[in-house]
Amino acid sequence: MPRFNRRQFLITAGAATAGSLLLHSCGPINDQTQFEVEIDPENAPETPTARLGFIALTDAAPLIIGREKGFFAKYGMTDVSVEKQASWGTTRDNLVLGSRGGGIDGAHILTPMPYLISEGIVTDGRRVPMYILARLNLNGQGICLSNDYRDLEIGVDSTPLKERFAERRAAGEDLRAAMTFPGGTHDCWIRYWLAAGGIDPDQEISTIVVPPPQMVANMRVGNMDTFCVGEPWPLQLVNQDIGYNALTTGELWQDHPEKALGMRADWVDEHPKAARALLMGTLEAQIWCSEPENVEEMCQILSRRAWFNVPFDDIIDRSRGIYDFGIGEVREMPDLMQKYWRDNASYPFKSHELWFLTENIRWGYLPPDADIKGMVDRVNREDLWREAAEAIGQGDMIPESTSRGPETFFDGKVFDPEDPQDYLKSLEITRI
């Protein structure tokens, strides 16, 4: 059974460990956009201040744009800092601390993490109740391989890797598949992809943790064979000719859920109006990010040293749905690109979170008898999302149900949120 602890194997390129301090706290809003909005005193935030964390991934764009373009300030949240974290472990540790302890109140976060933190699974048993207020995006992650496998030209079907992995293990090589946090979205994607090809991610390759910004550097020095991470790092790998992309994760599950806006429950409960205002600003930022005419400006902002500190060219193509996989193939796939608002990208469907928790059971991170529906009801605050959407005039975007219904994956497997056990029984490789 996989274990969660602070000694989880972590490959780094000389960067800080999971328990390190914050690396960045943005200063004044760079864009001086002014909004003519009169805030009803009855709805005024209890505090204008919130500290949010982010990792350098393009799905953090709504929080960065919310700060840069003044969408948080528009609703009275005039003192919101969006602070760079060294890793998802850092994000976890700073959420446990909370802003009163020098940490953060909320974050751009891997969707399963608020559940794992709430249950004490990744916090040495300490339960820190969390809420998910919104989904930040759909799609937009990549699974990549080193140039050692270029001749195979692997795509969504990982099956050809099984024989090659066996040959390399027989030669005494240590094979490694990197993801960003145990039980997180990237862990789920790469495990699902490998297992669908008949490869056990715990027996036939070592599954290790590497922070997103360090993926490319570690591939360059041969520390892993394959990795899963969000943009811009898959495109940067291609641009530096260090490896190639097997797929973009929308090919595994089209319009799959990805990151979330997670907040400490005590902060939301103490500041319900501020939480609503923060959520309203986030939704408006997601709408702004989804407009084609804003894509270039968004990528220019993200590329700045204060945020990602990467070349604009490592961000722009994938944000337009243009995919160079690094093997002489460039495809336009706008339906599989990262989405921030359209196609209900922002609404946190409870059914999606049930899938992530079911996969955490599959791989031994949660016990088989975990009350995952109860967990979702405690953590998922789609009710607050609905209120915020109504408040900004987006009531028409509210889904009729908290479930998107059965989901079909690239290999034909179907997850019915009404019967997660049936899905688990259909899987050939599990830890159950």
Side-chain angles (χ1 to χ4, degrees):
M1 178 181 293
R3 296 178 59 197
F4 279 113
N5 58 55
R6 294 185 184 180
R7 293 172 295 281
Q8 182 78 32
F9 184 28
L10 175 67
I11 290 180
T12 66
T17 62
S20 66
L21 297 176
L22 301 175
L23 298 183
H24 167 71
S25 176
C26 70
I29 298 172
N30 292 320
D31 188 291
Q32 297 303 312
T33 303
Q34 298 295 316
F35 295 100
E36 296 295 332
V37 176
E38 184 175 342
I39 300 174
D40 182 345
E42 292 187 3
N43 292 321
E46 300 87 353
T47 176
T49 303
R51 296 182 67 182
L52 305 178
F54 84 99
I55 296 284
L57 296 163
T58 53
D59 40 41
L63 301 189
I64 294 169
I65 294 300
R67 169 71 192 191
E68 286 274 338
K69 303 295 289 184
F71 291 112
F72 296 142
K74 175 180 178 178
Y75 294 108
M77 297 302 292
T78 55
D79 185 29
V80 176
S81 62
V82 181
E83 307 174 1
K84 188 180 290 184
Q85 311 292 295
S87 67
W88 293 116
T90 306
T91 302
R92 171 204 59 204
D93 291 347
N94 282 310
L95 283 167
V96 170
L97 288 172
S99 60
R100 289 193 177 104
I104 55 179
D105 303 303
H108 151 250
I109 200 166
L110 299 165
T111 288
M113 283 184 67
Y115 292 93
L116 300 173
I117 293 171
S118 293
E119 296 297 309
I121 303 295
V122 295
T123 54
D124 294 334
R126 177 179 174 183
R127 295 172 182 259
V128 180
M130 297 282 298
Y131 291 149
I132 284 179
L133 303 189
R135 192 82 62 225
L136 291 180
N137 69 301
L138 304 177
N139 303 326
Q141 317 307 295
I143 294 180
C144 305
L145 288 155
S146 80
N147 283 330
D148 290 348
Y149 303 92
R150 184 177 290 274
D151 61 305
L152 297 178
E153 294 190 359
I154 299 295
V156 293
D157 181 8
S158 66
T159 304
L161 286 172
K162 187 175 180 68
E163 182 178 353
R164 181 67 62 84
F165 284 173
E167 293 171 355
R168 298 187 73 162
R169 287 199 313 276
E173 296 185 45
D174 183 14
L175 305 180
R176 295 168 175 171
M179 45 77 180
T180 63
F181 192 84
T185 60
H186 303 123
D187 191 19
C188 290
W189 307 137
I190 201 162
R191 285 176 176 274
Y192 192 100
W193 176 69
L194 290 169
I199 301 165
D200 191 312
D202 294 316
Q203 303 298 324
E204 297 177 64
I205 191 168
S206 297
T207 306
I208 61 172
V209 177
V210 176
Q214 298 173 30
M215 287 289 188
V216 176
N218 276 279
M219 184 73 89
R220 182 185 295 111
V221 297
N223 278 339
M224 79 267 286
D225 299 85
T226 181
F227 67 71
C228 182
V229 74
E231 298 294 343
W233 311 111
L235 179 55
Q236 185 178 92
L237 180 87
V238 169
N239 287 343
Q240 295 185 12
D241 197 27
I242 295 168
Y244 70 98
N245 294 180
L247 56 95
T248 183
T249 49
E251 295 177 276
L252 296 182
W253 173 11
Q254 185 167 350
D255 290 341
H256 69 75
E258 190 42 51
K259 305 300 188 302
L261 170 58
M263 300 291 297
R264 284 180 58 115
D266 57 2
W267 189 90
V268 174
D269 292 342
E270 186 178 343
H271 310 102
K273 296 176 184 178
R276 182 171 179 264
L278 192 66
L279 188 49
M280 290 161 67
T282 299
L283 268 55
E284 288 214 14
Q286 289 182 275
I287 294 169
W288 187 93
C289 290
S290 73
E291 297 295 337
E293 62 269 23
N294 295 331
V295 170
E296 183 170 341
E297 182 183 357
M298 178 188 76
C299 293
Q300 291 285 4
I301 291 171
L302 297 181
S303 71
R304 294 174 186 165
R305 183 176 181 180
W307 300 114
F308 292 5
N309 193 28
V310 301
F312 172 79
D313 288 344
D314 288 347
I315 307 176
I316 186 62
D317 282 358
R318 302 288 169 91
S319 297
R320 287 176 170 159
I322 301 170
Y323 289 80
D324 178 355
F325 286 86
I327 52 174
E329 178 184 15
V330 179
R331 285 189 278 165
E332 292 190 20
M333 302 190 297
D335 289 339
L336 301 182
M337 64 186 285
Q338 194 151 261
K339 300 175 183 179
Y340 298 103
W341 183 256
R342 65 187 177 95
D343 298 327
N344 294 118
S346 176
Y347 177 76
F349 284 100
K350 289 187 174 183
S351 59
H352 289 164
E353 303 189 0
L354 282 173
W355 181 82
F356 283 119
L357 296 180
T358 301
E359 282 290 303
N360 269 256
I361 291 174
R362 175 187 186 181
W363 299 114
Y365 296 131
L366 290 174
D369 61 351
D371 177 16
I372 58 175
K373 290 187 177 181
M375 291 167 65
V376 171
D377 286 340
R378 289 191 294 274
V379 174
N380 181 292
R381 294 304 306 272
E382 60 82 31
D383 58 316
L384 300 182
W385 190 97
R386 291 168 181 262
E387 291 178 14
E390 287 277 11
I392 64 170
Q394 294 291 329
D396 291 345
M397 294 298 294
I398 298 175
E400 294 182 359
S401 171
T402 62
S403 172
R404 204 170 69 175
E407 304 280 354
T408 302
F409 297 81
F410 81 105
D411 59 348
K413 298 292 185 185
V414 176
F415 174 76
D416 184 347
E418 296 300 317
D419 192 357
Q421 284 298 320
D422 186 62
Y423 167 78
L424 278 173
K425 291 175 184 177
S426 75
L427 303 169
E428 289 78 19
I429 300 176
T430 75
R431 298 283 80 82
I432 299 174

